[in-house]
């Protein structure tokens, strides 16, 4: 089995659109929240969302979008894009550049792309409205490829001329962690030398607001109350969008081109709750099994994990489920635990890629992100080492958790690279 390493990262997020900006936000515990874009006169429970600075993609016409001037995108490519495809394209270009790859190296049979998103519900609704008002032949011929769940791999696979494995994952908030896990398998088994893994969400009101009907969104107007994982008075999450991309390579591929390595991807595990289509298992059974499976796959003991980037979204039920799972797995000695969603908000199917990238950045650049906005730690956390301040020392081995609808649980493990 080939060893798998991470050689490139790219972020478009509420806490920054560059590696340095994201690191600065995590070190300084700076959130990325802005007032939620409610319609005039609308009864709108959420007051905040995670805003992407320097992007204006409100128009349904992609040619009217504005974005940072350092990015360029051809008009022919814009036609098939929804908002989050644009974000994913940019985060992927950044990750490719960060890995020191030429586009010609990306377009070969040994390089693939796995993606994760929930599609573009707002854009899909817009296209259906046009169809009903004007007739189907007056709609965009790119309406399907711009909006459905596979839109990331449809567009990026074509634009980047990917000739290896191409696939999209859909397991809600575990989606991009699944994409990373299966990309690991493709490289470790020798089927591919390099995989691009990208998770993205458009972060529009049509994507975020439906979670209010589930009572999953916080209605607090103060950032430190709206997103406060592990706090006794947490009441829901803050929605956001953006994109995160990781470049995974085999050890041999990375060494052959003298690539800088952020971390080694040691292994992963997954397990189902078998409980509810929407709620986590109250005792965290599925996540417990996912973490244990990841440790086994990585040939590690629980006491070798220094840091856990928790899935914890700031919902009362979800956080409690994960707390119980963590206490089972780390029963004798808790690693440092934090949820960076306190700062970034919850980017849904992008979460796994964002937080895996954060783990790799923390390992390489030697810091451990704190869990912000905790005023009164939930008593259920007793026995866990919930880190409330960012440390200027990094973990040697980090575990990242993701959980999605239907009881999908994924745990990923990254370690310092030792040749």
């Amino acid at each position: 089995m080939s060893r798998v390493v991470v050689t490139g990262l790219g972020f478009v997020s509420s806490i920054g659109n560059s590696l340095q900006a994201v690191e600065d936000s995590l070190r300084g515990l700076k959130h990325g929240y802005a007032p939620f874009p409610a319609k005039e006169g609308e009864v709108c429970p959420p007051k905040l969302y995670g805003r992407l600075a320097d992007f204006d993609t409100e128009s349904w016409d992609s040619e009217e979008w504005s974005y940072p001037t350092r990015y360029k995108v051809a008009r022919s490519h814009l036609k098939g894009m929804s908002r989050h495809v644009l974000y994913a394209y940019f985060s992927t270009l950044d990750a490719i550049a960060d890995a020191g790859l030429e586009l010609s190296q990306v377009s070969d049979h040994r390089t693939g792309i796995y993606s994760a998103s929930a599609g573009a519900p707002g854009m899909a609704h817009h296209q259906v409205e046009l169809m009903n008002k004007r007739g189907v032949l007056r709609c965009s011929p790119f309406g399907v490829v711009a909006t459905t769940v596979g839109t990331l791999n449809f567009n990026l696979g074509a634009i980047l001329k990917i000739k290896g494995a191409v696939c999209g994952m859909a397991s809600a908030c575990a989606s991009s962690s699944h994409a990373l896990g299966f990309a690991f398998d493709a490289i470790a088994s020798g089927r591919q030398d390099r995989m691009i893994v990208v998770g993205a969400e458009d972060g529009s009101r049509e994507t975020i607001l439906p979670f209010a009907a589930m009572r999953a969104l916080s209605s607090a107007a103060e950032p430190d109350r709206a997103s406060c994982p592990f706090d006794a008075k947490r009441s829901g999450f803050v929605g956001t969008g953006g994109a995160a991309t990781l470049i995974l390579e085999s050890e041999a591929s990375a060494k052959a081109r003298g690539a800088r390595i952020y971390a080694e991807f040691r292994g992963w595990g997954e397990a189902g709750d078998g409980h509810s289509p929407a709620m986590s298992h109250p005792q965290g059974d599925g996540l417990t099994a996912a973490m244990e499976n990841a440790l086994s796959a990585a040939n590690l003991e629980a006491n070798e994990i220094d840091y856990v980037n928790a899935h914890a979204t700031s919902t009362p039920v979800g956080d409690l489920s994960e707390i119980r799972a963590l206490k089972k797995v780390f029963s004798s000695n808790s690693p440092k635990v934090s949820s960076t969603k306190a700062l970034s908000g919850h980017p849904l199917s992008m979460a796994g890629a964002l937080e895996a990238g954060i783990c790799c950045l923390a390992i390489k650049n030697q810091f451990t992100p704190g869990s912000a906005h905790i005023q009164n730690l939930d008593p259920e956390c007793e026995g866990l080492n919930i880190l409330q301040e960012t440390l200027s020392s990094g973990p040697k081995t980090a575990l990242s958790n993701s959980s999605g609808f239907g009881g999908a649980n994924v745990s990923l493990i990254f370690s310092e690279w030792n040749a």
Side-chain angles (χ1 to χ4, degrees):
M1 298 287 282
S2 299
R3 294 173 74 182
V4 180
V5 297
V6 179
T7 58
L9 301 173
F11 300 122
V12 173
S13 76
S14 65
I15 54 173
N17 300 330
S18 68
L19 303 188
Q20 190 60 59
V22 168
E23 182 174 339
D24 289 347
S25 293
L26 295 169
R27 286 184 181 271
L29 296 183
K30 297 183 292 186
H31 66 79
Y33 302 143
F36 188 85
K39 291 184 177 180
E40 187 176 351
E42 179 180 48
V43 176
C44 189
K47 302 300 185 290
L48 300 170
Y49 82 118
R51 184 178 68 89
L52 304 182
D54 303 321
F55 282 86
D56 182 355
T57 55
E58 287 303 304
S59 173
W60 297 121
D61 184 349
S62 58
E63 293 192 23
E64 296 179 1
W65 293 343
S66 64
Y67 38 83
T69 55
R70 68 189 179 93
Y71 295 122
K72 305 294 180 187
V73 55
R75 286 184 64 188
S76 59
H77 294 159
L78 278 171
K79 291 178 180 179
M81 289 185 175
S82 54
R83 296 161 178 152
H84 71 299
V85 179
L86 182 80
Y87 308 148
Y89 179 49
F90 293 156
S91 71
T92 300
L93 290 180
D94 284 350
I96 289 169
D98 186 51
L101 293 167
E102 300 294 331
L103 289 179
S104 59
Q105 293 175 290
V106 170
S107 180
D108 65 50
H109 294 287
R110 301 294 296 172
T111 300
I113 186 167
Y114 285 169
S115 69
S117 87
M123 182 77 83
H125 178 69
H126 172 69
Q127 294 290 345
V128 170
E129 280 194 324
L130 285 181
M131 180 181 72
N132 290 337
K133 288 178 180 177
R134 300 181 183 177
V136 67
L137 296 181
R138 297 287 300 277
C139 293
S140 168
F142 295 95
V144 174
V145 297
T147 61
T148 54
V149 171
T151 182
L152 290 183
N153 46 289
F154 301 160
N155 282 275
L156 298 182
I159 293 169
L160 298 173
K161 304 186 187 308
I162 301 295
K163 296 175 182 175
V166 179
C167 189
M169 311 289 174
S171 52
C173 305
S175 298
S176 54
S177 286
H178 267 127
L180 283 162
F182 288 115
F184 172 94
D185 290 349
I187 295 171
S189 65
R191 296 195 303 274
Q192 299 279 234
D193 293 332
R194 184 182 299 117
M195 290 296 297
I196 300 165
V197 182
V198 55
E201 290 284 359
D202 67 12
S204 65
R205 64 184 300 280
E206 292 86 1
T207 302
I208 296 171
L209 195 54
F211 287 92
M214 301 180 71
R215 309 300 190 266
L217 298 180
S218 174
S219 60
E222 304 80 19
D224 61 350
R225 294 290 82 202
S227 186
C228 49
F230 302 125
D231 190 275
K233 294 187 177 180
R234 63 191 181 275
S235 60
F237 69 81
V238 172
T240 189
T245 304
L246 289 81
I247 307 296
L248 308 184
E249 292 191 65
S250 68
E251 174 191 29
S253 172
K255 280 185 170 181
R257 61 187 195 84
R260 176 199 51 205
I261 293 172
Y262 281 94
E264 180 177 2
F265 189 171
R266 294 289 297 273
W268 72 293
E270 60 173 330
D273 281 342
H275 173 65
S276 164
M279 305 288 283
S280 301
H281 190 286
Q283 300 303 318
D285 287 358
L287 187 54
T288 300
M291 287 189 278
E292 290 172 343
N293 290 339
L295 289 166
S296 176
N299 196 26
L300 291 169
E301 300 294 330
N303 61 12
E304 295 180 88
I305 301 296
D306 303 309
Y307 168 65
V308 174
N309 189 298
H311 179 70
T313 63
S314 191
T315 61
V317 174
D319 286 16
L320 182 57
S321 173
E322 186 167 16
I323 288 166
R324 291 171 175 168
L326 290 168
K327 290 168 83 169
K328 290 177 189 174
V329 174
F330 302 103
S331 56
S332 58
N333 186 25
S334 171
K336 299 174 183 69
V337 178
S338 73
S339 172
T340 48
K341 290 184 181 75
L343 304 173
S344 68
H346 184 14
L348 307 173
S349 53
M350 164 194 165
L354 175 63
E355 290 153 18
I358 286 171
C359 286
C360 294
L361 198 62
I363 288 169
K364 184 67 174 177
N365 292 354
Q366 285 296 290
F367 68 97
T368 308
S371 208
H373 305 156
I374 297 175
Q375 295 182 9
N376 296 291
L377 189 64
D378 189 326
E380 287 269 358
C381 292
E382 184 178 356
L384 293 179
N385 184 8
I386 306 295
L387 185 64
Q388 298 185 44
E389 298 291 337
T390 294
L391 304 180
S392 12
S393 58
K396 292 189 175 183
T397 302
L399 181 149
S400 180
N401 281 334
S402 296
S403 297
F405 287 147
N409 300 283
V410 180
S411 297
L412 313 169
I413 298 179
F414 302 90
S415 289
E416 278 185 334
W417 168 247
N418 294 306

